[in-house]
Amino acid sequence: KKLKTLCLSLQAKMSRPVHSRRLEGVDKNIWVEFVKLAATYSTVNLGQGFPDFPPPDFLKEALMTALSGENHMLHQYTRAFGHPPLVKILAQFFGKLLGQDLDPMTNVMVTVGAYQALFCCFQAFVDEGDEVIIIEPFFDCYEPMVTMAGGTPVFVPLRPKAPENGKMMSSADWKLDSAELASKFNERTKAIVLNSPNNPLGKVFSQEELELIADLCVKHDVLCISDEVYEWLVYDGKEHIRIASLPGMWDRTVIIGSAGKTFSVTGWKVGWTVGPNRLLQHIRTMHQNSVYHCATVAQEAVAQGFQREFMLYGKPDSYFVQLPKELQKKRDCLVQSLDAAGMKPIIPEGTYFLLADISNFKSDVPDNPNSDEPYDSRFAKWMVKNKGLAAIPLSAFYCTAHKNNYSHFIRFCFAKEEATLKAASDILQKWKQEKTSP
Amino acid sequence: VEFTKVAADPSIVNLGQGLPDISPPNYVKEELAKASAIDRLNQYTRGFGHPSLVKALSQVYERVCGRKIDPLTDILVTVGAYGSLFSTIQALIEEGDEVIIIEPFYDCYEPMVKMAGAKPVFIPLRYKNDGNSASSADWVLDPAELANKFNSKTKAIILNTPHNPIGKVFTREELQVIADLCIKHDTLCISDEVYEWLVYKGKQHIKIATLPGMWERTITIGSAGKTYSVTGWKLGWSIGPQNLIKHLQVVHQNTLYTCPTPLQEALAQAFWIDYKRMDDPDCYFYSLSRELESKRDRMAQLLQDAGLKPVVPDGGYFMIVDVSTLNVDLSDVDAKQPYDYRFVKWMITSKKLSAIPLSAFCGPETKRQFEKYIRFCFIKKDSTLDAAEVILKNWNKQTV
């Protein structure tokens, strides 16, 4: 018997290839690497997109109330497709904004962050042979998610046009070429992913731009996956327009939202999808076979948060009014620091990110023709290790083939306390002085 | 999903869905309040698992398994054990594969395997005794039948011990039979052990990953929901060798990326509290099963008093019972459905008591074999069991 056990042990190791083929090509992830670098080296972290200021008091109180209440059933499963109080207020809130009568049970579904909503959409709608149009630069998960679903990502770039008179570039200066966009649509096109306001650029798509996209979707009978997680973060009096409210679009659009971005609680991982039942039914199927339920107590608190915002909508006390006001100031502060230091910022119309052109700092990180790695990635790594300032290379937001198209931009997150932004400014100033002094 | 809707009616005594209506321990709730009050714990944490949680899990399971477990490479934190099952199956299973599923099975295994493009191959537990008192130990796999299910296409077998819905706790010998076949056919083992702490007197939960030759080929899945009576926290974990876990991590980074932070921190703190008293009988890992054992015995007694023959479980918090002996007239209920579905629908409407039909847990070939059984959940507070008692005692009286 002992000999038999020994023999079995020797055969013990799995000898055949173990992982499924759907993982091919989706194993790399920029965040795993860059989050680790920031954790190890950074003194000022403007890299990964999360606020370092506290969540709003009313939301923290809502969570505490939920936890301290008599109802311990908030620690047990709730409705799989979304905690009833949350889906009800989301239906009310977004119904009003969209001018649609929304059924909380069929037009809304809660997910584990907007990330899981995206996953459910791609899995629900994309099959082998389908093409999905992705506008570059893009939040990096879209590509591997389309690939994992068996689909083919088709990329179309936003192209920058230099502003006149030496003005600072704005995210509005990056546009789609309408003929180029139209050429990407064909009979295999299943969906287009729209992200407005756009991460990493900060672009807020205009009415005309959205109409261009909508016309093509309607013409080619294509779905629109509309990632609107930064919907409240728009500046300079700009308006976030929901593509689902354009003619012909409600029926073919899934809108994705995020409590993490809406209420500055990225760690709660509460997101949602809103759309017609004919689309949500498939998202529900995907959800019930992957995650099934989302955590209850955070949903309860987010529902309370939305109730408050529903009452205060448009009023000065609304968090959706205050947060963008605060963030606009922080944006302007960082823009100024970068400009003063010689990094050229692109002023974002929305989100809490901005891109900066680091061309003036290239001497610190020489080109390496032997390296496969895009320049901006090497730059960002050098910067965090040597200057303690963490940022994300723009190439992270492009497909492999296009990673070197814009290789001298890095992305900063400015959802940070004044002290953090000041510390960033100090690093940049010191760095500039080191470059200019003999 | 069907049955939770029906049983959401508060006038119905809900012994159906597997969720506790008892409170989680106070210190668990307190840790969540404490964690939520820390601002940075409301933002993203490490994708594959919050550092303090994976550290705590590695300590607890190193002790249980008697081997070193690296918190960063051998563990993935997921959205419930459900999320672990999904990540494991998506990572390791694909078209062309066969996956052995033991019936009755937790109902998500089949659709998850199918969604991965693979073929589920079913093998039933069979009731071997004919005596008066039935125990979950009487339900066994036929070793020859099991061996026959393995072939060169078999990628994995899904094991669930303690077992939902029967409550069977697989013995070392039974696990060895499975292990031998896994090694012989170079197969993976996906071991769903969410009820690992809920094992009753005289029984021991054994981790198949600790058998010789098995660590390399096993993913062991656990659940905070079942460990701490917090199903609504939806936190679970997969533990295994780095060369397998790394693939689950790839799935995770492409599906939801990270799990909620304050819940993970609170869970880590709760684990530290109980890790420190793992030699103490007051440790929640042991005290919960003691509490549940008396509820189990009470549930069994109530069912016996109503003239039924429950299968007394060695583990878990479910109990199955053959209801065909009651000979209830179900002619009014949807004739197209299996017997147990019809019985449960009738029982919900006319007796205001809910349970889950067992054919929900079976493949198509075996539904006939299990359609006389329904499943009760007994992780319920005394007042719920009291209400169930009233219904069961009055069972034979006419319904109004």
Side-chain angles (χ1 to χ4, degrees), chain A residues 25-47:
Chain A
V26 302
D27 50 321
K28 298 265 175 296
N29 184 284
I30 184 109
W31 303 105
V32 174
E33 191 181 7
F34 274 86
V35 166
K36 229 187 339 186
L37 281 171
T40 314
Y41 296 104
S42 76
T43 50
V44 180
N45 187 357
L46 303 191

PDB file of all heavy atoms in Angstrom, chain A residues 25-47:
ATOM      1  N   GLY A  25      -3.924  35.469 -24.291  1.00  0.00           N
ATOM      2  CA  GLY A  25      -3.864  36.869 -24.687  1.00  0.00           C
ATOM      3  C   GLY A  25      -4.526  37.840 -23.729  1.00  0.00           C
ATOM      4  O   GLY A  25      -4.509  39.044 -23.959  1.00  0.00           O
ATOM      5  N   VAL A  26      -5.131  37.349 -22.654  1.00  0.00           N
ATOM      6  CA  VAL A  26      -5.760  38.275 -21.702  1.00  0.00           C
ATOM      7  C   VAL A  26      -5.102  38.223 -20.337  1.00  0.00           C
ATOM      8  O   VAL A  26      -5.633  38.754 -19.360  1.00  0.00           O
ATOM      9  CB  VAL A  26      -7.286  38.030 -21.581  1.00  0.00           C
ATOM     10  CG1 VAL A  26      -7.964  38.171 -22.922  1.00  0.00           C
ATOM     11  CG2 VAL A  26      -7.606  36.712 -20.939  1.00  0.00           C
ATOM     12  N   ASP A  27      -3.919  37.605 -20.288  1.00  0.00           N
ATOM     13  CA  ASP A  27      -3.311  37.434 -18.974  1.00  0.00           C
ATOM     14  C   ASP A  27      -2.551  38.668 -18.488  1.00  0.00           C
ATOM     15  O   ASP A  27      -2.352  38.838 -17.294  1.00  0.00           O
ATOM     16  CB  ASP A  27      -2.414  36.200 -18.943  1.00  0.00           C
ATOM     17  CG  ASP A  27      -1.443  36.167 -20.119  1.00  0.00           C
ATOM     18  OD1 ASP A  27      -1.849  36.545 -21.245  1.00  0.00           O
ATOM     19  OD2 ASP A  27      -0.296  35.755 -19.933  1.00  0.00           O
ATOM     20  N   LYS A  28      -2.139  39.532 -19.413  1.00  0.00           N
ATOM     21  CA  LYS A  28      -1.394  40.716 -18.960  1.00  0.00           C
ATOM     22  C   LYS A  28      -2.366  41.743 -18.392  1.00  0.00           C
ATOM     23  O   LYS A  28      -3.454  41.944 -18.921  1.00  0.00           O
ATOM     24  CB  LYS A  28      -0.648  41.370 -20.141  1.00  0.00           C
ATOM     25  CG  LYS A  28       0.384  40.488 -20.789  1.00  0.00           C
ATOM     26  CD  LYS A  28       1.779  40.736 -20.228  1.00  0.00           C
ATOM     27  CE  LYS A  28       2.799  39.777 -20.781  1.00  0.00           C
ATOM     28  NZ  LYS A  28       2.532  38.383 -20.403  1.00  0.00           N
ATOM     29  N   ASN A  29      -1.952  42.405 -17.335  1.00  0.00           N
ATOM     30  CA  ASN A  29      -2.787  43.462 -16.784  1.00  0.00           C
ATOM     31  C   ASN A  29      -1.912  44.549 -16.201  1.00  0.00           C
ATOM     32  O   ASN A  29      -1.130  44.308 -15.285  1.00  0.00           O
ATOM     33  CB  ASN A  29      -3.738  42.904 -15.731  1.00  0.00           C
ATOM     34  CG  ASN A  29      -4.673  43.953 -15.204  1.00  0.00           C
ATOM     35  OD1 ASN A  29      -4.294  44.804 -14.408  1.00  0.00           O
ATOM     36  ND2 ASN A  29      -5.907  43.922 -15.654  1.00  0.00           N
ATOM     37  N   ILE A  30      -2.055  45.731 -16.740  1.00  0.00           N
ATOM     38  CA  ILE A  30      -1.187  46.855 -16.384  1.00  0.00           C
ATOM     39  C   ILE A  30      -1.329  47.235 -14.916  1.00  0.00           C
ATOM     40  O   ILE A  30      -0.367  47.631 -14.261  1.00  0.00           O
ATOM     41  CB  ILE A  30      -1.501  48.063 -17.294  1.00  0.00           C
ATOM     42  CG1 ILE A  30      -0.543  49.228 -17.009  1.00  0.00           C
ATOM     43  CG2 ILE A  30      -2.918  48.543 -17.097  1.00  0.00           C
ATOM     44  CD1 ILE A  30       0.424  49.451 -18.097  1.00  0.00           C
ATOM     45  N   TRP A  31      -2.531  47.057 -14.375  1.00  0.00           N
ATOM     46  CA  TRP A  31      -2.784  47.538 -13.009  1.00  0.00           C
ATOM     47  C   TRP A  31      -2.051  46.712 -11.984  1.00  0.00           C
ATOM     48  O   TRP A  31      -1.560  47.227 -10.983  1.00  0.00           O
ATOM     49  CB  TRP A  31      -4.293  47.568 -12.729  1.00  0.00           C
ATOM     50  CG  TRP A  31      -4.979  48.410 -13.724  1.00  0.00           C
ATOM     51  CD1 TRP A  31      -5.738  47.990 -14.777  1.00  0.00           C
ATOM     52  CD2 TRP A  31      -4.902  49.827 -13.834  1.00  0.00           C
ATOM     53  NE1 TRP A  31      -6.146  49.060 -15.518  1.00  0.00           N
ATOM     54  CE2 TRP A  31      -5.654  50.200 -14.966  1.00  0.00           C
ATOM     55  CE3 TRP A  31      -4.266  50.822 -13.080  1.00  0.00           C
ATOM     56  CZ2 TRP A  31      -5.786  51.525 -15.358  1.00  0.00           C
ATOM     57  CZ3 TRP A  31      -4.411  52.136 -13.475  1.00  0.00           C
ATOM     58  CH2 TRP A  31      -5.157  52.480 -14.599  1.00  0.00           C
ATOM     59  N   VAL A  32      -2.001  45.405 -12.209  1.00  0.00           N
ATOM     60  CA  VAL A  32      -1.307  44.530 -11.272  1.00  0.00           C
ATOM     61  C   VAL A  32       0.120  45.037 -11.082  1.00  0.00           C
ATOM     62  O   VAL A  32       0.609  45.178  -9.967  1.00  0.00           O
ATOM     63  CB  VAL A  32      -1.328  43.063 -11.772  1.00  0.00           C
ATOM     64  CG1 VAL A  32      -0.487  42.179 -10.873  1.00  0.00           C
ATOM     65  CG2 VAL A  32      -2.744  42.540 -11.828  1.00  0.00           C
ATOM     66  N   GLU A  33       0.748  45.372 -12.224  1.00  0.00           N
ATOM     67  CA  GLU A  33       2.138  45.838 -12.159  1.00  0.00           C
ATOM     68  C   GLU A  33       2.241  47.243 -11.561  1.00  0.00           C
ATOM     69  O   GLU A  33       3.015  47.488 -10.639  1.00  0.00           O
ATOM     70  CB  GLU A  33       2.706  45.830 -13.575  1.00  0.00           C
ATOM     71  CG  GLU A  33       4.196  46.029 -13.613  1.00  0.00           C
ATOM     72  CD  GLU A  33       4.748  46.053 -15.035  1.00  0.00           C
ATOM     73  OE1 GLU A  33       3.953  46.054 -15.995  1.00  0.00           O
ATOM     74  OE2 GLU A  33       5.973  46.075 -15.169  1.00  0.00           O
ATOM     75  N   PHE A  34       1.418  48.163 -12.080  1.00  0.00           N
ATOM     76  CA  PHE A  34       1.566  49.561 -11.664  1.00  0.00           C
ATOM     77  C   PHE A  34       1.067  49.815 -10.249  1.00  0.00           C
ATOM     78  O   PHE A  34       1.613  50.670  -9.537  1.00  0.00           O
ATOM     79  CB  PHE A  34       0.911  50.505 -12.687  1.00  0.00           C
ATOM     80  CG  PHE A  34       1.853  50.868 -13.813  1.00  0.00           C
ATOM     81  CD1 PHE A  34       1.967  50.052 -14.931  1.00  0.00           C
ATOM     82  CD2 PHE A  34       2.666  51.991 -13.727  1.00  0.00           C
ATOM     83  CE1 PHE A  34       2.857  50.365 -15.954  1.00  0.00           C
ATOM     84  CE2 PHE A  34       3.574  52.314 -14.751  1.00  0.00           C
ATOM     85  CZ  PHE A  34       3.667  51.495 -15.869  1.00  0.00           C
ATOM     86  N   VAL A  35       0.055  49.075  -9.821  1.00  0.00           N
ATOM     87  CA  VAL A  35      -0.413  49.241  -8.436  1.00  0.00           C
ATOM     88  C   VAL A  35       0.680  48.799  -7.474  1.00  0.00           C
ATOM     89  O   VAL A  35       0.944  49.435  -6.457  1.00  0.00           O
ATOM     90  CB  VAL A  35      -1.737  48.471  -8.195  1.00  0.00           C
ATOM     91  CG1 VAL A  35      -2.064  48.346  -6.717  1.00  0.00           C
ATOM     92  CG2 VAL A  35      -2.883  49.155  -8.916  1.00  0.00           C
ATOM     93  N   LYS A  36       1.361  47.725  -7.858  1.00  0.00           N
ATOM     94  CA  LYS A  36       2.454  47.224  -7.004  1.00  0.00           C
ATOM     95  C   LYS A  36       3.591  48.247  -6.943  1.00  0.00           C
ATOM     96  O   LYS A  36       4.126  48.518  -5.879  1.00  0.00           O
ATOM     97  CB  LYS A  36       2.992  45.901  -7.578  1.00  0.00           C
ATOM     98  CG  LYS A  36       3.089  44.838  -6.516  1.00  0.00           C
ATOM     99  CD  LYS A  36       3.723  43.509  -6.802  1.00  0.00           C
ATOM    100  CE  LYS A  36       3.865  42.973  -8.167  1.00  0.00           C
ATOM    101  NZ  LYS A  36       4.389  41.600  -8.167  1.00  0.00           N
ATOM    102  N   LEU A  37       3.918  48.822  -8.100  1.00  0.00           N
ATOM    103  CA  LEU A  37       4.993  49.823  -8.147  1.00  0.00           C
ATOM    104  C   LEU A  37       4.655  51.021  -7.269  1.00  0.00           C
ATOM    105  O   LEU A  37       5.485  51.512  -6.518  1.00  0.00           O
ATOM    106  CB  LEU A  37       5.226  50.294  -9.583  1.00  0.00           C
ATOM    107  CG  LEU A  37       6.044  49.377 -10.478  1.00  0.00           C
ATOM    108  CD1 LEU A  37       5.997  49.858 -11.926  1.00  0.00           C
ATOM    109  CD2 LEU A  37       7.485  49.294  -9.997  1.00  0.00           C
ATOM    110  N   ALA A  38       3.401  51.481  -7.395  1.00  0.00           N
ATOM    111  CA  ALA A  38       2.982  52.636  -6.605  1.00  0.00           C
ATOM    112  C   ALA A  38       3.055  52.307  -5.111  1.00  0.00           C
ATOM    113  O   ALA A  38       3.538  53.107  -4.316  1.00  0.00           O
ATOM    114  CB  ALA A  38       1.572  53.066  -6.977  1.00  0.00           C
ATOM    115  N   ALA A  39       2.606  51.113  -4.770  1.00  0.00           N
ATOM    116  CA  ALA A  39       2.622  50.710  -3.366  1.00  0.00           C
ATOM    117  C   ALA A  39       4.046  50.642  -2.834  1.00  0.00           C
ATOM    118  O   ALA A  39       4.300  50.973  -1.680  1.00  0.00           O
ATOM    119  CB  ALA A  39       1.920  49.372  -3.192  1.00  0.00           C
ATOM    120  N   THR A  40       4.971  50.229  -3.678  1.00  0.00           N
ATOM    121  CA  THR A  40       6.356  50.072  -3.247  1.00  0.00           C
ATOM    122  C   THR A  40       7.125  51.386  -3.203  1.00  0.00           C
ATOM    123  O   THR A  40       7.887  51.636  -2.283  1.00  0.00           O
ATOM    124  CB  THR A  40       7.104  49.105  -4.201  1.00  0.00           C
ATOM    125  OG1 THR A  40       6.299  47.963  -4.426  1.00  0.00           O
ATOM    126  CG2 THR A  40       8.445  48.674  -3.628  1.00  0.00           C
ATOM    127  N   TYR A  41       6.952  52.201  -4.232  1.00  0.00           N
ATOM    128  CA  TYR A  41       7.850  53.353  -4.397  1.00  0.00           C
ATOM    129  C   TYR A  41       7.222  54.725  -4.209  1.00  0.00           C
ATOM    130  O   TYR A  41       7.944  55.689  -3.985  1.00  0.00           O
ATOM    131  CB  TYR A  41       8.461  53.345  -5.802  1.00  0.00           C
ATOM    132  CG  TYR A  41       9.337  52.169  -6.093  1.00  0.00           C
ATOM    133  CD1 TYR A  41       8.876  51.121  -6.894  1.00  0.00           C
ATOM    134  CD2 TYR A  41      10.634  52.093  -5.584  1.00  0.00           C
ATOM    135  CE1 TYR A  41       9.677  50.031  -7.181  1.00  0.00           C
ATOM    136  CE2 TYR A  41      11.447  51.005  -5.868  1.00  0.00           C
ATOM    137  CZ  TYR A  41      10.968  49.982  -6.666  1.00  0.00           C
ATOM    138  OH  TYR A  41      11.763  48.909  -6.946  1.00  0.00           O
ATOM    139  N   SER A  42       5.902  54.831  -4.367  1.00  0.00           N
ATOM    140  CA  SER A  42       5.397  56.194  -4.496  1.00  0.00           C
ATOM    141  C   SER A  42       5.232  56.890  -3.157  1.00  0.00           C
ATOM    142  O   SER A  42       4.846  56.304  -2.169  1.00  0.00           O
ATOM    143  CB  SER A  42       4.079  56.240  -5.261  1.00  0.00           C
ATOM    144  OG  SER A  42       3.026  55.806  -4.444  1.00  0.00           O
ATOM    145  N   THR A  43       5.554  58.192  -3.167  1.00  0.00           N
ATOM    146  CA  THR A  43       5.225  59.047  -2.036  1.00  0.00           C
ATOM    147  C   THR A  43       3.984  59.848  -2.396  1.00  0.00           C
ATOM    148  O   THR A  43       3.214  60.234  -1.527  1.00  0.00           O
ATOM    149  CB  THR A  43       6.379  60.023  -1.714  1.00  0.00           C
ATOM    150  OG1 THR A  43       6.763  60.679  -2.933  1.00  0.00           O
ATOM    151  CG2 THR A  43       7.572  59.283  -1.153  1.00  0.00           C
ATOM    152  N   VAL A  44       3.789  60.086  -3.671  1.00  0.00           N
ATOM    153  CA  VAL A  44       2.587  60.776  -4.136  1.00  0.00           C
ATOM    154  C   VAL A  44       1.971  59.938  -5.250  1.00  0.00           C
ATOM    155  O   VAL A  44       2.554  59.777  -6.317  1.00  0.00           O
ATOM    156  CB  VAL A  44       2.907  62.191  -4.657  1.00  0.00           C
ATOM    157  CG1 VAL A  44       1.635  62.882  -5.128  1.00  0.00           C
ATOM    158  CG2 VAL A  44       3.582  63.026  -3.569  1.00  0.00           C
ATOM    159  N   ASN A  45       0.804  59.406  -4.968  1.00  0.00           N
ATOM    160  CA  ASN A  45       0.186  58.469  -5.904  1.00  0.00           C
ATOM    161  C   ASN A  45      -0.943  59.133  -6.695  1.00  0.00           C
ATOM    162  O   ASN A  45      -2.053  59.279  -6.196  1.00  0.00           O
ATOM    163  CB  ASN A  45      -0.333  57.246  -5.138  1.00  0.00           C
ATOM    164  CG  ASN A  45      -0.834  56.154  -6.083  1.00  0.00           C
ATOM    165  OD1 ASN A  45      -0.855  56.320  -7.309  1.00  0.00           O
ATOM    166  ND2 ASN A  45      -1.254  55.032  -5.514  1.00  0.00           N
ATOM    167  N   LEU A  46      -0.607  59.535  -7.933  1.00  0.00           N
ATOM    168  CA  LEU A  46      -1.653  60.078  -8.814  1.00  0.00           C
ATOM    169  C   LEU A  46      -1.924  59.065  -9.929  1.00  0.00           C
ATOM    170  O   LEU A  46      -2.333  59.422 -11.030  1.00  0.00           O
ATOM    171  CB  LEU A  46      -1.215  61.427  -9.407  1.00  0.00           C
ATOM    172  CG  LEU A  46      -0.848  62.543  -8.441  1.00  0.00           C
ATOM    173  CD1 LEU A  46      -0.700  63.875  -9.189  1.00  0.00           C
ATOM    174  CD2 LEU A  46      -1.876  62.715  -7.340  1.00  0.00           C
ATOM    175  N   GLY A  47      -1.646  57.798  -9.635  1.00  0.00           N
ATOM    176  CA  GLY A  47      -1.773  56.749 -10.630  1.00  0.00           C
ATOM    177  C   GLY A  47      -3.181  56.188 -10.740  1.00  0.00           C
ATOM    178  O   GLY A  47      -4.044  56.705 -11.445  1.00  0.00           O
TER     179      GLY A  47
END
